[in-house]
Amino acid sequence: MDMEPNSDCFVNGGVGCQDRLTECFAREVSRCPNTTYSSRYDNPSAGWVYMCSILMFFMKAGFLYLEEAFSQADKVFRRRVVLAKYIDIFAGTIGFWLFGYAISGNTDAGVLGEEQDYIFWFFRFTFATNTATILGGTLVGQGVQMRALAIFVYSFVMTAFIHPSLARFFWSSSNPQQPAWSPYAPCNGTYTADREHTFSFYTEDVELGDYIFFDFAGSGLVHVCGGMGAFVLAVFHKLEISTRTKKIRECCSCLKRSTDDDDARAATYGAERQDVAPEGAKNFLEWMYPSGGGDENVESAALGILILWTTWFAFNAGSAESISGKAVHSAVGRIALVMCLGCASAGIVQTIISGLVQIYKRDETFNSNEIANAVLGALVSVTGCCTFIDPPWAILIGVISVAVYHSGCYIEYLLKLHDGARAFPVHAICGFWGVLCVGIFSKSCLIRETYEDLCFCVTSNLPASVDNHGLLFAYQLGGGLFIMAWSMTLCTIVFLVLWFFPVNFALACLPWVMGFKDKARGLVKFQGNVLFTHFNEIGSPNPDVDVNEPPPTSGHTTPYTAPHTSNVNFGLVSINTAPQEAHDKD
């Protein structure tokens, strides 16, 4: 606002200037009222949550490197991993902003995120989008991949509804009409600096019942939820490649094999793959620990797990939502120690197991990628209970998490599922174990301290189940099973719709899209459904390799490479596809 020298402000010695400035500033403020400042945090806590949220967003880089490691050296598969991470961010941002934040119960708004606390929105957004990104490791290295449209739809639905609906049940604090299953339920969500570590008032009419579910940083709400999505996708992948689902395909045109060539291709991936392990892997041990240590990129896996381990400190410690007060300092330090002890114990146990397997099989290499998965499983296991337990218990939790991880892998082996990066065992099974750990190892005084000092919440009405380990374990078991069932049901609905929806209908609005070119077969049209790429769309996994030439041989041969076949890698193991001469006639 420009002030002229002869204006009224300078008349009579400046009398009237103050009134004019007050009027102008009042008018400007009324034009752009700032109602989006964080009323939940004081200044140090707002900065703490914001910085932790940035690190949590960077977790996608860790997942990217880890999944790229299991896609081996093929650039087609590596590009698919990168594409999936891009789409997770794009779709997740829009989905959570439109619907997810409101559905999660953090605001009274319906859609478009009105009345948002921007810092808290960013904090909760990182949880939602990391839940969606877990799925990306399922089909790495597979000849049949998720389409980009299917990845977008899944990421949008996961961040807009599936994860936020669970957060509304178990993490919400602003909706008194919902069931009081959340320990945040008695709080109104307004922080006041003059009352240290408490909310400005206690909602007297909200009484917590006997049932209450504790999941501090998301073993269940993030990892079980995302891991069950990966499990459902693996089941649909099995249905897609198996020849035993022919009757299902006959009822839907988008699932039919239009040529004999397609049937041959399906037979290669289906009938010959009813055993998950390739030729030479005769049992679970051979499947879990392939000869030669596997074909994965060890350096990328190590970099990915180190990035995840580092950013996981922000994931768990940031869930305290504060850095003010001695109780918070103690809790944040305890969280870091619990994580380190859990990962170290799991890593030691898995190193011993991998060494014993190497000696037993007389293998010349060491399977180090299973160590990375064991560490990741330990991180998932301590996420839900990291602030409720004494640090020594983290060692036992980490040791047991290795056995839990292997049991999840054995489930996939029995069900003959393809899960290249072990997303289901690492996240769903170890996450479920983390939920149960709250009922087994937690201390009631630490639970009460957590929701009084860390989360600014009074705890006078926490139910008696907090002090009863048997009852608390039963409630944690029920909550974990509910999260599994809820996530699996909604993901099944999403994938079922995509599986039965023909891709030609989805592309009907783009008549100029005819397909893409393959060096071995020329123009390839899009076929099949929206969920998966069609068999006839896939040539050699590496377009630079002549599909009619046998793979080069080296001094070291493994039972996973047969002569005169092209080698398609499937996560921790690799698959031999049939010769491609049949495609030349296309």
Side-chain angles (χ1 to χ4, degrees), residues 59-370:
M59 293 181 78
K60 287 190 176 294
F63 283 111
L64 174 63
Y65 276 105
L66 191 63
E67 294 167 13
E68 187 272 338
F70 289 103
S71 65
Q72 292 103 30
D74 194 282
K75 65 181 180 181
V76 174
F77 295 149
R78 289 178 8 230
R79 289 170 180 171
R80 177 70 64 167
V81 171
V82 174
L83 175 65
K85 291 295 166 282
Y86 283 148
I87 295 176
D88 284 342
I89 298 173
F90 303 154
T93 301
I94 302 301
F96 193 74
W97 178 70
L98 283 176
F99 305 107
Y101 186 77
I103 291 177
S104 60
N106 298 306
T107 177
D108 295 331
V111 294
L112 296 178
E114 295 93 341
E115 303 177 9
Q116 289 179 354
D117 181 331
Y118 289 163
I119 293 181
F120 190 59
W121 181 95
F122 185 40
F123 179 62
R124 284 291 184 233
F125 159 73
T126 56
F127 283 93
T129 188
N130 281 324
T131 304
T133 204
I134 291 173
L135 180 84
T138 307
L139 298 184
V140 290
Q142 301 291 338
V144 175
Q145 296 286 319
M146 282 185 73
R147 296 190 189 274
L149 179 59
I151 299 173
F152 184 93
V153 172
Y154 168 79
S155 299
F156 185 90
V157 175
M158 175 59 76
T159 56
F161 182 73
I162 300 178
H163 170 77
S165 61
L166 291 172
R168 187 181 188 89
F169 293 147
F170 302 119
W171 277 353
S172 176
S173 61
S174 63
N175 187 4
Q177 287 76 32
Q178 70 182 35
W181 299 339
S182 167
Y184 302 92
C187 307
N188 74 332
T190 303
Y191 177 87
T192 53
D194 56 335
R195 295 184 60 188
E196 185 178 4
H197 307 308
T198 59
F199 281 87
S200 58
F201 69 88
Y202 178 72
T203 308
E204 298 291 348
D205 57 345
V206 177
E207 295 289 341
L208 293 177
D210 289 336
Y211 179 79
I212 193 170
F213 179 80
F214 296 101
D215 185 9
F216 181 69
S219 284
L221 274 73
V222 174
H223 297 284
V224 173
C225 181
M228 292 310 298
F231 175 79
V232 174
L233 179 64
V235 172
F236 274 92
H237 177 261
K238 180 181 179 181
L239 295 176
E240 176 72 12
I241 67 176
S242 176
T243 57
R244 299 181 181 181
T245 57
K246 185 176 181 180
K247 292 183 179 180
I248 299 178
R249 293 195 183 95
E250 290 176 350
C251 69
C252 183
S253 60
C254 66
L255 303 177
K256 288 183 179 180
R257 309 295 178 207
S258 58
T259 64
D260 294 337
D261 175 68
D262 293 336
D263 290 329
R265 185 79 172 180
T268 300
Y269 284 93
E272 296 179 9
R273 284 289 301 165
Q274 293 308 311
D275 282 330
V276 178
E279 182 182 357
K282 301 178 181 180
N283 51 47
F284 174 69
L285 185 64
E286 292 285 342
W287 176 81
M288 186 79 180
Y289 298 93
S291 298
D295 297 327
E296 300 83 18
N297 188 325
V298 181
E299 294 81 3
S300 293
L303 180 59
I305 198 64
L306 288 175
I307 292 175
L308 286 173
W309 196 344
T310 302
T311 54
W312 219 292
F313 288 109
F315 192 88
N316 288 351
S319 296
E321 299 187 52
S322 176
I323 197 61
S324 302
K326 294 182 179 180
V328 181
H329 298 166
S330 174
V332 171
R334 183 171 65 250
I335 290 172
L337 179 57
V338 165
M339 292 174 59
C340 291
L341 290 176
C343 293
S345 61
I348 291 172
V349 171
Q350 184 58 50
T351 302
I352 294 173
I353 293 175
S354 296
L356 293 176
V357 171
Q358 181 186 12
I359 295 173
Y360 173 77
K361 297 178 62 177
R362 298 182 179 180
D363 205 342
E364 71 277 12
T365 58
F366 195 87
N367 194 314
S368 59
N369 280 345
E370 289 303 332

Side-chain angles (χ1 to χ4, degrees), residues 339-507:
M339 292 174 59
C340 291
L341 290 176
C343 293
S345 61
I348 291 172
V349 171
Q350 184 58 50
T351 302
I352 294 173
I353 293 175
S354 296
L356 293 176
V357 171
Q358 181 186 12
I359 295 173
Y360 173 77
K361 297 178 62 177
R362 298 182 179 180
D363 205 342
E364 71 277 12
T365 58
F366 195 87
N367 194 314
S368 59
N369 280 345
E370 289 303 332
I371 300 177
N373 277 338
V375 171
L376 191 58
L379 287 171
V380 173
S381 299
V382 301
T383 294
C385 62
C386 54
T387 189
F388 303 146
I389 64 174
D390 286 327
W393 288 118
I395 298 176
L396 182 58
I397 293 175
V399 171
I400 298 177
S401 70
V402 177
V404 172
Y405 164 68
H406 281 76
S407 66
C409 294
Y410 190 67
I411 292 174
E412 289 190 329
Y413 176 78
L414 293 178
L415 298 178
K416 304 178 177 64
L417 300 179
H418 305 292
D419 185 3
R422 306 287 196 241
F424 171 68
V426 168
H427 295 279
I429 303 300
C430 290
F432 185 75
W433 163 239
V435 169
L436 298 182
C437 287
V438 176
I440 300 174
F441 302 105
S442 64
K443 294 178 65 175
S444 60
C445 61
L446 292 179
I447 293 178
R448 296 183 184 279
E449 178 186 273
T450 295
Y451 293 102
E452 179 176 355
D453 291 311
L454 273 68
C455 303
F456 320 119
C457 183
V458 292
T459 57
S460 58
N461 277 21
L462 281 180
S465 59
V466 174
D467 304 308
N468 187 328
H469 275 280
L471 197 59
L472 182 59
F473 176 81
Y475 291 161
Q476 293 296 119
L477 176 63
L481 292 176
F482 175 81
I483 294 173
M484 275 190 165
W486 181 266
S487 305
M488 186 168 62
T489 301
L490 296 182
C491 289
T492 300
I493 295 173
V494 173
F495 291 141
L496 193 64
V497 172
L498 295 174
W499 195 48
F500 278 99
F501 197 84
V503 67
N504 292 333
F505 291 171
L507 297 177

Side-chain angles (χ1 to χ4, degrees), residues 492-570:
T492 300
I493 295 173
V494 173
F495 291 141
L496 193 64
V497 172
L498 295 174
W499 195 48
F500 278 99
F501 197 84
V503 67
N504 292 333
F505 291 171
L507 297 177
C509 59
L510 304 175
W512 58 87
V513 178
M514 298 300 296
F516 58 91
K517 288 186 177 181
D518 183 271
K519 291 185 178 181
R521 293 175 289 155
L523 183 64
V524 181
K525 293 183 178 181
F526 290 111
Q527 302 179 38
N529 52 66
V530 174
L531 182 57
F532 295 111
T533 55
H534 195 262
F535 292 104
N536 203 32
E537 297 173 9
I538 304 298
S540 170
N542 189 339
D544 296 329
V545 177
D546 187 351
V547 293
N548 293 315
E549 291 294 329
T553 58
S554 60
H556 172 69
T557 59
T558 68
Y560 306 105
T561 304
H564 303 292
T565 61
S566 60
N567 192 36
V568 181
N569 295 311
F570 282 75

